[in-house]
Amino acid sequence: MAILDQGPPHYKKMLPPIVQENYGKWKYHEIPSPGVLKHVGESGAALYSVRVGTPRLVSIDFIRDVCVIADEYCDGFLRWTTRNNVEFLVSDEAKLKPLLEKLEAEGYSVGGTGRSVSNIVHTQGWVHCHTPATDASGVVKAVMDDLYEYFNTMKLPAKLKMGLACCLNMCGAAHCSDIAIVGVHRTPPRINHEVIRKGTEIPSLVASCPTGAIRPDPKNKSVIVNEDKCMYCGNCYTMSPAMEIYDPKNDGIAILIGGKTSNARTSPSFSRMVIPFLPNTAPRWPETTEAIRKIIELWIANANDGERVGEWVERIGWERFFTLAELPFSDMLIDDYIFSRETFRTSAQFKY
Amino acid sequence: MVFKMARGPADPEVKAKVLEYLGKVQKAKSRDVAVAIGASKSDVDNAVKELTAEDLVEYLYITTTFICLKGKVQTPD
Amino acid sequence: MTEKNTPLLDELEKGKWPSFVTEIKRAAVKSEAAGELLQVLERSYKERRGHWKHGGIVGVRGYGGGVIGRYVDEPQTYPNVAEFHTVRLLQPSGWFYNTKTLRTVCDIWEKYGSGLTNMHGSTGDIILLGCKTEHIQPIFDEFSDAGFDLGGSGSCLRTPNCCVGPGRCEHACYDTLEACYNITNEFMDELHRPMWPYKSKIKFSGCANDCTSSIARSDCSVIGTWRDTLRIDQEAVKEYAAKINIKAAVCDKCPTSCLTFNAETQELSVVGEDCTRCMHCINVMPKAIQPGKEKGATILIGGKSTIVQSAFMSWVIVPFMKMEAEDDFAEFKDLMRRIWEWWDEHGKSRERIGETIYRLGMTKFLNGIEVAPVPQMVFRPRANPYVFWNQDDLDRSGTALDGSKL
């Protein structure tokens, strides 16, 4: 009989001796080279963490491979980061160089520290999600291939954190990223009346619509969608499989920029939409990779030292950003949902 | 207002009432069960915990989590 | 028979970034289900749409979550992924592992599942991707014997997670690893037995850099901070002065201009009461500047993503709370119980706590959880006079000041 409620494995069993000895007594850290962190304790002890990018969706073969490496160079200890990178924890400085050579030889991607683009936090997409408007892993792969030179170097103005959400559920903080890639639907749900009659709770379905676009249709024992009111969020589809929202011809990607969650200097902020739609050009999403590269290159060329994307855009002004980026501004970029008013300019101060 | 969550063994009377109520409906949120049988929400939650371990009641996720008698509601297609 | 070639996916094996397609192919060597996943995915790439259906009821005895049902939409064509459920396992705090533990995960998953995983899910769990209904109970039993437990799913406390904290970070203002472990264990009922209107998440970040992005994606964000003034080591400041422009890189970027660098004496001074503890100066000069001594955390409530009423960031409920393992995090646990009880009583189905508070008003919430209002909770006070005066506090006897009847 299985034990219930035993909780997670105890972290203390997972900590290498150097961490146990210096627990809570770290003094400072440096980044000796891209992908390598050096943490120094008050005792003078130094721990090197070597960061390696992963696709997040990994096989058990991959996990066993990194275990072999960790056994050889890290006394069997390693960790994962919040952004799905692996970190090899090296307590013996003599093993650092051999480890880096080994990783290089085996084709691992070392990087993602300091002023670099880190791994893109992302969702399941077509691999395993039931409401996606785009794929997740494929877009991330295409974008990271394109931005690879910024992963294994630290030549950006500041750190760059990206997120991808394959629908508006936005699993994974995409809405507060320096650059967010968000899957969007653009057409109203198609109603399968038979499925609704078979067992959908109509009051819950009606209540699920944030704009009140769904109303009961007692005659049909189904519902009616007021298409003018629908903003294609897909919440009704989450409530009932009868409200099919996917639309291969019209689903795609929106780009939002300038969000962050850190409090450093400026308060945490939401990402803002700058490109309302890019097509789902599988398998490598060239429109999306190009659009993101352009924004990043503009940021590199114009940002002050240490300025994150949102800090840069807020300093120069969003109106100026659109001019510099040569991105079309349209009514699609003006908020017309619940909390829109705070985005309207209530001032006579602006640029061109 | 009492804030402490229920701990320790569940009240057999509450368990019986929960089973009786779930016999009359397809599925319910445990708060609705608490209101219907006049018990506190935490007592119902504690009763449900034991009833699921005894395989008499099960949890059901249909956009939010409900409870129902074991096997009463089939997987929605 | 379905087409086995995957020309579109093969394009995603090119390039320098590690490829998820390669990973699925590796799993497919041993798992027919992983092989079939590849075919379903290739078809999605061709048709530009997903092929997975809503989950149904799957679970283990005694729990109301931890496994998410997933079914392919054409089970006849793809029988090996007709059922392709996700298992969530509680991760160790900070995602630290020894290789023995990881190999145990791999061995059990190889026996029953597709061999595919997410390390890790957005909420923090170890995600095991793809198994059959009949194997769920045996998978749980075997993981349970090996010292693992299921994570949260459904209308429950979702698996808490935390930053690396004192395990490897000089900024940690409280022990995030212990807090996450201790508090996850405290709320096992709330995590395994969904009893609420909707999901509720907790994330623990050791400082205001907020590496878990708790403020954006957890209903309760626990962000490390300090109550007194940051500490400056003037000798270390002098060392930095030789390498960086302290005025430009630190003082000029301080959001409250509370730092001054004296170029003559090479000393850095702070106006403590002006500092908002943003972490910028500490990030740039970790050897020279440290958080104060009186450490704890800010508790913020209400964060969530876009669906449905727009994204919310958590807002301050308790500006400073001690987070000590010695007292078993008692104050925090007590506060969370009050918060959940209030939400459980007032929240509508599928309403996150931030939405419930927004609908009913912050004042009602604060009264409900018995937390006194303080100015740190708001950026600025209200601009309208529409106060819900408590009528019981007023003299409504109907008599005017001059004694005449109203």
Side-chain angles (χ1 to χ4, degrees), chain A residues 5-6 11 23 29 49 59 64-65 71 87 128 135 141 145 170 237 284 305, chain C residues 17 23 26 45 54 63 70 86 99 110 144 168 170 175 178 192 253 305:
Chain A
D5 298 328
Q6 63 180 333
Y11 65 95
Y23 197 87
H29 76 276
S49 306
S59 65
R64 285 170 176 154
D65 286 351
D71 280 343
E87 282 179 347
H128 211 223
D135 189 33
K141 164 73 175 147
D145 277 344
M170 293 217 204
Y237 180 67
R284 294 202 64 102
D305 185 58
Chain C
W17 188 250
E23 291 300 319
R26 291 179 83 184
Y45 268 66
H54 282 66
Y63 284 1
R70 196 60 88 222
T86 300
T99 51
E110 177 167 9
S144 177
R168 202 203 53 199
E170 64 272 23
D175 189 341
E178 177 61 25
H192 286 135
K253 294 192 173 227
S305 190

mmCIF file of all heavy atoms in Angstrom, chain A residues 5-6 11 23 29 49 59 64-65 71 87 128 135 141 145 170 237 284 305, chain C residues 17 23 26 45 54 63 70 86 99 110 144 168 170 175 178 192 253 305:
data_model
loop_
_atom_site.group_PDB
_atom_site.id
_atom_site.type_symbol
_atom_site.label_atom_id
_atom_site.label_comp_id
_atom_site.label_asym_id
_atom_site.label_seq_id
_atom_site.Cartn_x
_atom_site.Cartn_y
_atom_site.Cartn_z
ATOM 1 N N ASP A 5 0.572 11.336 1.227
ATOM 2 C CA ASP A 5 0.974 12.613 1.830
ATOM 3 C C ASP A 5 2.387 12.615 2.402
ATOM 4 O O ASP A 5 2.632 13.257 3.418
ATOM 5 C CB ASP A 5 -0.032 13.012 2.936
ATOM 6 C CG ASP A 5 -1.429 13.218 2.383
ATOM 7 O OD1 ASP A 5 -1.532 13.661 1.221
ATOM 8 O OD2 ASP A 5 -2.404 12.943 3.101
ATOM 9 N N GLN A 6 3.312 11.892 1.776
ATOM 10 C CA GLN A 6 4.675 11.955 2.325
ATOM 11 C C GLN A 6 5.453 13.175 1.829
ATOM 12 O O GLN A 6 6.543 13.438 2.321
ATOM 13 C CB GLN A 6 5.444 10.667 2.087
ATOM 14 C CG GLN A 6 5.682 10.318 0.636
ATOM 15 C CD GLN A 6 6.466 9.020 0.488
ATOM 16 O OE1 GLN A 6 7.223 8.653 1.371
ATOM 17 N NE2 GLN A 6 6.276 8.320 -0.599
ATOM 18 N N TYR A 11 15.029 18.098 0.412
ATOM 19 C CA TYR A 11 16.087 18.783 -0.338
ATOM 20 C C TYR A 11 17.463 18.594 0.283
ATOM 21 O O TYR A 11 18.474 18.652 -0.418
ATOM 22 C CB TYR A 11 15.756 20.278 -0.458
ATOM 23 C CG TYR A 11 15.747 21.008 0.869
ATOM 24 C CD1 TYR A 11 16.867 21.685 1.328
ATOM 25 C CD2 TYR A 11 14.604 21.009 1.668
ATOM 26 C CE1 TYR A 11 16.853 22.336 2.551
ATOM 27 C CE2 TYR A 11 14.585 21.661 2.887
ATOM 28 C CZ TYR A 11 15.713 22.320 3.334
ATOM 29 O OH TYR A 11 15.702 22.953 4.539
ATOM 30 N N TYR A 23 25.755 26.731 3.597
ATOM 31 C CA TYR A 23 24.332 27.030 3.520
ATOM 32 C C TYR A 23 24.014 28.353 4.228
ATOM 33 O O TYR A 23 24.308 28.517 5.417
ATOM 34 C CB TYR A 23 23.545 25.893 4.168
ATOM 35 C CG TYR A 23 22.081 25.862 3.822
ATOM 36 C CD1 TYR A 23 21.642 25.210 2.686
ATOM 37 C CD2 TYR A 23 21.144 26.476 4.640
ATOM 38 C CE1 TYR A 23 20.299 25.171 2.362
ATOM 39 C CE2 TYR A 23 19.795 26.443 4.327
ATOM 40 C CZ TYR A 23 19.381 25.784 3.185
ATOM 41 O OH TYR A 23 18.043 25.752 2.873
ATOM 42 N N HIS A 29 28.884 36.492 -5.715
ATOM 43 C CA HIS A 29 29.126 35.643 -6.879
ATOM 44 C C HIS A 29 29.651 36.469 -8.048
ATOM 45 O O HIS A 29 29.466 37.684 -8.116
ATOM 46 C CB HIS A 29 27.866 34.865 -7.280
ATOM 47 C CG HIS A 29 26.848 35.698 -7.997
ATOM 48 N ND1 HIS A 29 25.928 36.470 -7.359
ATOM 49 C CD2 HIS A 29 26.616 35.859 -9.335
ATOM 50 C CE1 HIS A 29 25.161 37.078 -8.238
ATOM 51 N NE2 HIS A 29 25.557 36.736 -9.452
ATOM 52 N N SER A 49 29.002 26.776 -10.819
ATOM 53 C CA SER A 49 27.817 26.189 -11.441
ATOM 54 C C SER A 49 27.933 26.398 -12.940
ATOM 55 O O SER A 49 28.109 27.527 -13.393
ATOM 56 C CB SER A 49 26.543 26.874 -10.933
ATOM 57 O OG SER A 49 26.497 26.841 -9.525
ATOM 58 N N SER A 59 14.036 13.403 -22.732
ATOM 59 C CA SER A 59 13.842 11.977 -22.518
ATOM 60 C C SER A 59 14.609 11.544 -21.277
ATOM 61 O O SER A 59 15.504 12.247 -20.806
ATOM 62 C CB SER A 59 14.361 11.197 -23.734
ATOM 63 O OG SER A 59 15.755 11.378 -23.844
ATOM 64 N N ARG A 64 19.654 10.611 -17.862
ATOM 65 C CA ARG A 64 20.739 9.681 -17.505
ATOM 66 C C ARG A 64 22.089 10.190 -18.001
ATOM 67 O O ARG A 64 23.105 10.044 -17.318
ATOM 68 C CB ARG A 64 20.443 8.295 -18.082
ATOM 69 C CG ARG A 64 19.348 7.571 -17.294
ATOM 70 C CD ARG A 64 18.894 6.324 -18.012
ATOM 71 N NE ARG A 64 17.929 5.580 -17.220
ATOM 72 C CZ ARG A 64 17.009 4.771 -17.740
ATOM 73 N NH1 ARG A 64 16.932 4.604 -19.057
ATOM 74 N NH2 ARG A 64 16.168 4.132 -16.957
ATOM 75 N N ASP A 65 22.100 10.818 -19.183
ATOM 76 C CA ASP A 65 23.365 11.382 -19.704
ATOM 77 C C ASP A 65 23.919 12.441 -18.756
ATOM 78 O O ASP A 65 25.109 12.440 -18.447
ATOM 79 C CB ASP A 65 23.133 12.036 -21.081
ATOM 80 C CG ASP A 65 22.943 11.004 -22.182
ATOM 81 O OD1 ASP A 65 23.161 9.800 -21.912
ATOM 82 O OD2 ASP A 65 22.564 11.402 -23.306
ATOM 83 N N ASP A 71 28.110 12.663 -12.145
ATOM 84 C CA ASP A 71 28.886 11.716 -11.336
ATOM 85 C C ASP A 71 30.382 11.933 -11.519
ATOM 86 O O ASP A 71 31.148 11.875 -10.568
ATOM 87 C CB ASP A 71 28.531 10.267 -11.736
ATOM 88 C CG ASP A 71 27.229 9.813 -11.097
ATOM 89 O OD1 ASP A 71 26.787 10.462 -10.132
ATOM 90 O OD2 ASP A 71 26.645 8.820 -11.574
ATOM 91 N N GLU A 87 22.101 22.889 -14.135
ATOM 92 C CA GLU A 87 23.338 23.445 -13.593
ATOM 93 C C GLU A 87 24.169 22.341 -12.959
ATOM 94 O O GLU A 87 23.723 21.679 -12.018
ATOM 95 C CB GLU A 87 23.037 24.548 -12.565
ATOM 96 C CG GLU A 87 22.654 25.862 -13.233
ATOM 97 C CD GLU A 87 22.313 26.969 -12.258
ATOM 98 O OE1 GLU A 87 22.127 26.705 -11.056
ATOM 99 O OE2 GLU A 87 22.212 28.124 -12.708
ATOM 100 N N HIS A 128 1.220 18.454 -26.261
ATOM 101 C CA HIS A 128 0.415 17.825 -25.225
ATOM 102 C C HIS A 128 -0.745 18.662 -24.706
ATOM 103 O O HIS A 128 -1.448 18.250 -23.794
ATOM 104 C CB HIS A 128 1.316 17.422 -24.046
ATOM 105 C CG HIS A 128 0.839 16.210 -23.322
ATOM 106 N ND1 HIS A 128 0.823 16.106 -21.959
ATOM 107 C CD2 HIS A 128 0.326 15.043 -23.773
ATOM 108 C CE1 HIS A 128 0.340 14.933 -21.607
ATOM 109 N NE2 HIS A 128 0.036 14.266 -22.696
ATOM 110 N N ASP A 135 2.316 26.022 -31.620
ATOM 111 C CA ASP A 135 3.166 25.080 -30.896
ATOM 112 C C ASP A 135 4.043 25.874 -29.924
ATOM 113 O O ASP A 135 4.184 27.092 -30.058
ATOM 114 C CB ASP A 135 4.028 24.268 -31.866
ATOM 115 C CG ASP A 135 4.753 23.128 -31.141
ATOM 116 O OD1 ASP A 135 4.181 22.587 -30.175
ATOM 117 O OD2 ASP A 135 5.882 22.793 -31.527
ATOM 118 N N LYS A 141 12.482 26.441 -30.179
ATOM 119 C CA LYS A 141 13.672 25.909 -30.856
ATOM 120 C C LYS A 141 14.109 26.847 -31.986
ATOM 121 O O LYS A 141 15.293 27.186 -32.106
ATOM 122 C CB LYS A 141 13.339 24.505 -31.387
ATOM 123 C CG LYS A 141 14.287 23.929 -32.421
ATOM 124 C CD LYS A 141 15.613 23.492 -31.846
ATOM 125 C CE LYS A 141 16.460 22.816 -32.937
ATOM 126 N NZ LYS A 141 17.892 23.060 -32.735
ATOM 127 N N ASP A 145 17.588 28.927 -31.773
ATOM 128 C CA ASP A 145 18.601 28.710 -32.814
ATOM 129 C C ASP A 145 19.060 30.055 -33.373
ATOM 130 O O ASP A 145 20.242 30.315 -33.534
ATOM 131 C CB ASP A 145 18.016 27.870 -33.968
ATOM 132 C CG ASP A 145 18.065 26.376 -33.687
ATOM 133 O OD1 ASP A 145 18.810 25.969 -32.777
ATOM 134 O OD2 ASP A 145 17.342 25.623 -34.378
ATOM 135 N N MET A 170 -1.679 31.269 -20.627
ATOM 136 C CA MET A 170 -0.345 31.757 -20.313
ATOM 137 C C MET A 170 0.296 31.037 -19.140
ATOM 138 O O MET A 170 0.798 31.668 -18.206
ATOM 139 C CB MET A 170 -0.379 33.264 -20.055
ATOM 140 C CG MET A 170 -0.718 34.032 -21.300
ATOM 141 S SD MET A 170 0.197 35.567 -21.364
ATOM 142 C CE MET A 170 -0.845 36.532 -22.421
ATOM 143 N N TYR A 237 -14.003 27.190 -24.495
ATOM 144 C CA TYR A 237 -13.538 25.878 -24.942
ATOM 145 C C TYR A 237 -12.961 25.083 -23.778
ATOM 146 O O TYR A 237 -13.097 23.859 -23.710
ATOM 147 C CB TYR A 237 -12.503 26.029 -26.064
ATOM 148 C CG TYR A 237 -11.988 24.705 -26.569
ATOM 149 C CD1 TYR A 237 -12.844 23.828 -27.244
ATOM 150 C CD2 TYR A 237 -10.673 24.312 -26.360
ATOM 151 C CE1 TYR A 237 -12.389 22.592 -27.682
ATOM 152 C CE2 TYR A 237 -10.214 23.085 -26.800
ATOM 153 C CZ TYR A 237 -11.072 22.227 -27.459
ATOM 154 O OH TYR A 237 -10.623 21.008 -27.894
ATOM 155 N N ARG A 284 9.367 26.362 -38.807
ATOM 156 C CA ARG A 284 10.418 27.195 -38.200
ATOM 157 C C ARG A 284 10.031 28.659 -38.002
ATOM 158 O O ARG A 284 10.864 29.489 -37.672
ATOM 159 C CB ARG A 284 11.726 27.069 -38.981
ATOM 160 C CG ARG A 284 12.329 25.649 -38.891
ATOM 161 C CD ARG A 284 13.816 25.621 -39.169
ATOM 162 N NE ARG A 284 14.572 26.346 -38.192
ATOM 163 C CZ ARG A 284 15.268 25.773 -37.188
ATOM 164 N NH1 ARG A 284 15.327 24.467 -37.082
ATOM 165 N NH2 ARG A 284 15.920 26.521 -36.340
ATOM 166 N N ASP A 305 23.497 51.217 -20.827
ATOM 167 C CA ASP A 305 24.118 50.100 -20.145
ATOM 168 C C ASP A 305 23.215 49.603 -18.996
ATOM 169 O O ASP A 305 22.809 50.385 -18.142
ATOM 170 C CB ASP A 305 25.464 50.566 -19.587
ATOM 171 C CG ASP A 305 26.240 49.424 -18.965
ATOM 172 O OD1 ASP A 305 26.506 48.444 -19.680
ATOM 173 O OD2 ASP A 305 26.540 49.508 -17.763
ATOM 174 N N TRP C 17 20.599 24.997 -30.919
ATOM 175 C CA TRP C 17 19.871 24.818 -29.660
ATOM 176 C C TRP C 17 19.431 23.361 -29.535
ATOM 177 O O TRP C 17 19.031 22.754 -30.541
ATOM 178 C CB TRP C 17 18.663 25.765 -29.638
ATOM 179 C CG TRP C 17 17.974 25.776 -28.308
ATOM 180 C CD1 TRP C 17 16.740 25.256 -28.024
ATOM 181 C CD2 TRP C 17 18.473 26.299 -27.086
ATOM 182 N NE1 TRP C 17 16.449 25.436 -26.697
ATOM 183 C CE2 TRP C 17 17.494 26.069 -26.095
ATOM 184 C CE3 TRP C 17 19.665 26.933 -26.720
ATOM 185 C CZ2 TRP C 17 17.670 26.457 -24.759
ATOM 186 C CZ3 TRP C 17 19.833 27.320 -25.399
ATOM 187 C CH2 TRP C 17 18.850 27.083 -24.431
ATOM 188 N N GLU C 23 14.863 14.574 -28.702
ATOM 189 C CA GLU C 23 14.505 13.930 -27.439
ATOM 190 C C GLU C 23 13.324 12.960 -27.611
ATOM 191 O O GLU C 23 13.330 11.867 -27.057
ATOM 192 C CB GLU C 23 14.187 14.990 -26.373
ATOM 193 C CG GLU C 23 15.402 15.780 -25.924
ATOM 194 C CD GLU C 23 16.484 14.900 -25.319
ATOM 195 O OE1 GLU C 23 16.141 13.968 -24.563
ATOM 196 O OE2 GLU C 23 17.670 15.120 -25.633
ATOM 197 N N ARG C 26 14.580 9.913 -29.305
ATOM 198 C CA ARG C 26 15.334 9.037 -28.396
ATOM 199 C C ARG C 26 14.376 8.184 -27.565
ATOM 200 O O ARG C 26 14.594 6.990 -27.364
ATOM 201 C CB ARG C 26 16.216 9.872 -27.458
ATOM 202 C CG ARG C 26 17.352 10.561 -28.151
ATOM 203 C CD ARG C 26 18.160 11.377 -27.159
ATOM 204 N NE ARG C 26 19.143 10.549 -26.460
ATOM 205 C CZ ARG C 26 19.935 11.005 -25.484
ATOM 206 N NH1 ARG C 26 19.840 12.257 -25.089
ATOM 207 N NH2 ARG C 26 20.802 10.215 -24.908
ATOM 208 N N TYR C 45 1.951 19.699 -37.187
ATOM 209 C CA TYR C 45 2.786 20.640 -37.940
ATOM 210 C C TYR C 45 2.251 20.823 -39.361
ATOM 211 O O TYR C 45 2.316 21.899 -39.925
ATOM 212 C CB TYR C 45 4.253 20.170 -37.940
ATOM 213 C CG TYR C 45 5.019 20.780 -36.803
ATOM 214 C CD1 TYR C 45 4.710 20.459 -35.478
ATOM 215 C CD2 TYR C 45 6.002 21.736 -37.023
ATOM 216 C CE1 TYR C 45 5.363 21.055 -34.420
ATOM 217 C CE2 TYR C 45 6.667 22.341 -35.966
ATOM 218 C CZ TYR C 45 6.344 21.998 -34.672
ATOM 219 O OH TYR C 45 6.987 22.609 -33.626
ATOM 220 N N HIS C 54 -9.720 17.243 -24.132
ATOM 221 C CA HIS C 54 -9.899 17.552 -22.714
ATOM 222 C C HIS C 54 -9.639 16.315 -21.860
ATOM 223 O O HIS C 54 -9.950 15.203 -22.247
ATOM 224 C CB HIS C 54 -11.351 17.965 -22.455
ATOM 225 C CG HIS C 54 -11.642 19.352 -22.860
ATOM 226 N ND1 HIS C 54 -11.606 19.753 -24.153
ATOM 227 C CD2 HIS C 54 -11.994 20.433 -22.132
ATOM 228 C CE1 HIS C 54 -11.927 21.031 -24.216
ATOM 229 N NE2 HIS C 54 -12.168 21.467 -23.000
ATOM 230 N N TYR C 63 -6.459 10.503 -3.437
ATOM 231 C CA TYR C 63 -6.076 11.834 -3.913
ATOM 232 C C TYR C 63 -7.094 12.338 -4.933
ATOM 233 O O TYR C 63 -7.709 11.545 -5.656
ATOM 234 C CB TYR C 63 -4.713 11.807 -4.611
ATOM 235 C CG TYR C 63 -3.510 11.702 -3.699
ATOM 236 C CD1 TYR C 63 -3.641 11.612 -2.319
ATOM 237 C CD2 TYR C 63 -2.229 11.705 -4.242
ATOM 238 C CE1 TYR C 63 -2.522 11.515 -1.500
ATOM 239 C CE2 TYR C 63 -1.105 11.605 -3.433
ATOM 240 C CZ TYR C 63 -1.259 11.508 -2.061
ATOM 241 O OH TYR C 63 -0.155 11.414 -1.273
ATOM 242 N N ARG C 70 -5.184 12.926 -20.478
ATOM 243 C CA ARG C 70 -4.981 13.456 -21.827
ATOM 244 C C ARG C 70 -5.259 12.340 -22.826
ATOM 245 O O ARG C 70 -4.796 11.207 -22.645
ATOM 246 C CB ARG C 70 -3.539 13.957 -21.970
ATOM 247 C CG ARG C 70 -3.324 14.847 -23.158
ATOM 248 C CD ARG C 70 -4.188 16.107 -23.147
ATOM 249 N NE ARG C 70 -3.596 17.218 -22.457
ATOM 250 C CZ ARG C 70 -4.267 18.043 -21.640
ATOM 251 N NH1 ARG C 70 -5.530 17.857 -21.419
ATOM 252 N NH2 ARG C 70 -3.668 19.068 -21.078
ATOM 253 N N THR C 86 -0.589 12.763 -17.992
ATOM 254 C CA THR C 86 0.550 13.425 -17.355
ATOM 255 C C THR C 86 0.558 13.135 -15.861
ATOM 256 O O THR C 86 -0.469 13.258 -15.209
ATOM 257 C CB THR C 86 0.444 14.957 -17.535
ATOM 258 O OG1 THR C 86 0.430 15.250 -18.924
ATOM 259 C CG2 THR C 86 1.605 15.670 -16.872
ATOM 260 N N THR C 99 22.248 12.192 -8.269
ATOM 261 C CA THR C 99 21.996 11.394 -9.472
ATOM 262 C C THR C 99 21.222 10.110 -9.157
ATOM 263 O O THR C 99 20.483 9.608 -9.998
ATOM 264 C CB THR C 99 23.319 11.057 -10.191
ATOM 265 O OG1 THR C 99 24.236 10.499 -9.242
ATOM 266 C CG2 THR C 99 23.941 12.301 -10.791
ATOM 267 N N GLU C 110 10.579 4.600 -17.097
ATOM 268 C CA GLU C 110 10.881 3.743 -18.253
ATOM 269 C C GLU C 110 9.975 2.512 -18.242
ATOM 270 O O GLU C 110 9.519 2.036 -19.277
ATOM 271 C CB GLU C 110 12.346 3.311 -18.215
ATOM 272 C CG GLU C 110 12.710 2.360 -19.360
ATOM 273 C CD GLU C 110 14.216 2.182 -19.512
ATOM 274 O OE1 GLU C 110 14.973 2.653 -18.652
ATOM 275 O OE2 GLU C 110 14.609 1.575 -20.514
ATOM 276 N N SER C 144 5.820 6.121 -4.719
ATOM 277 C CA SER C 144 5.605 6.310 -3.289
ATOM 278 C C SER C 144 6.624 5.489 -2.495
ATOM 279 O O SER C 144 7.243 5.979 -1.553
ATOM 280 C CB SER C 144 4.170 5.904 -2.937
ATOM 281 O OG SER C 144 3.954 6.017 -1.560
ATOM 282 N N ARG C 168 22.508 28.557 -2.521
ATOM 283 C CA ARG C 168 23.587 29.054 -3.370
ATOM 284 C C ARG C 168 23.437 30.532 -3.704
ATOM 285 O O ARG C 168 23.814 30.947 -4.780
ATOM 286 C CB ARG C 168 23.660 28.245 -4.665
ATOM 287 C CG ARG C 168 25.035 28.317 -5.348
ATOM 288 C CD ARG C 168 24.955 28.004 -6.812
ATOM 289 N NE ARG C 168 23.959 28.818 -7.478
ATOM 290 C CZ ARG C 168 23.435 28.517 -8.650
ATOM 291 N NH1 ARG C 168 23.791 27.432 -9.276
ATOM 292 N NH2 ARG C 168 22.528 29.305 -9.207
ATOM 293 N N GLU C 170 23.708 34.621 -2.175
ATOM 294 C CA GLU C 170 24.040 35.527 -1.070
ATOM 295 C C GLU C 170 22.886 36.476 -0.760
ATOM 296 O O GLU C 170 22.888 37.142 0.263
ATOM 297 C CB GLU C 170 25.303 36.327 -1.415
ATOM 298 C CG GLU C 170 25.193 37.278 -2.611
ATOM 299 C CD GLU C 170 25.524 36.626 -3.957
ATOM 300 O OE1 GLU C 170 25.424 35.387 -4.068
ATOM 301 O OE2 GLU C 170 25.874 37.372 -4.896
ATOM 302 N N ASP C 175 15.013 31.367 4.450
ATOM 303 C CA ASP C 175 15.370 30.052 3.925
ATOM 304 C C ASP C 175 14.244 29.543 3.016
ATOM 305 O O ASP C 175 13.303 28.887 3.458
ATOM 306 C CB ASP C 175 15.619 29.089 5.090
ATOM 307 C CG ASP C 175 16.215 27.761 4.622
ATOM 308 O OD1 ASP C 175 16.108 27.448 3.418
ATOM 309 O OD2 ASP C 175 16.790 27.045 5.464
ATOM 310 N N GLU C 178 13.781 25.588 2.875
ATOM 311 C CA GLU C 178 13.105 25.012 4.030
ATOM 312 C C GLU C 178 11.645 25.465 4.081
ATOM 313 O O GLU C 178 10.748 24.669 4.378
ATOM 314 C CB GLU C 178 13.843 25.410 5.321
ATOM 315 C CG GLU C 178 13.187 24.930 6.609
ATOM 316 C CD GLU C 178 13.079 23.409 6.720
ATOM 317 O OE1 GLU C 178 13.884 22.693 6.092
ATOM 318 O OE2 GLU C 178 12.158 22.940 7.430
ATOM 319 N N HIS C 192 -3.468 17.748 -2.017
ATOM 320 C CA HIS C 192 -3.888 16.477 -2.617
ATOM 321 C C HIS C 192 -5.400 16.302 -2.719
ATOM 322 O O HIS C 192 -5.878 15.407 -3.420
ATOM 323 C CB HIS C 192 -3.304 15.300 -1.826
ATOM 324 C CG HIS C 192 -1.842 15.104 -2.055
ATOM 325 N ND1 HIS C 192 -0.960 14.866 -1.025
ATOM 326 C CD2 HIS C 192 -1.104 15.102 -3.191
ATOM 327 C CE1 HIS C 192 0.266 14.727 -1.530
ATOM 328 N NE2 HIS C 192 0.214 14.870 -2.833
ATOM 329 N N LYS C 253 21.296 54.943 -10.895
ATOM 330 C CA LYS C 253 20.210 54.016 -11.234
ATOM 331 C C LYS C 253 19.343 53.674 -10.036
ATOM 332 O O LYS C 253 18.364 52.928 -10.172
ATOM 333 C CB LYS C 253 20.793 52.741 -11.836
ATOM 334 C CG LYS C 253 21.459 53.017 -13.179
ATOM 335 C CD LYS C 253 21.791 51.741 -13.911
ATOM 336 C CE LYS C 253 22.297 52.092 -15.299
ATOM 337 N NZ LYS C 253 21.664 51.277 -16.313
ATOM 338 N N SER C 305 -2.355 34.791 -14.274
ATOM 339 C CA SER C 305 -2.155 35.149 -15.671
ATOM 340 C C SER C 305 -3.445 35.648 -16.317
ATOM 341 O O SER C 305 -4.449 35.862 -15.648
ATOM 342 C CB SER C 305 -1.567 33.961 -16.411
ATOM 343 O OG SER C 305 -1.185 34.396 -17.677
#
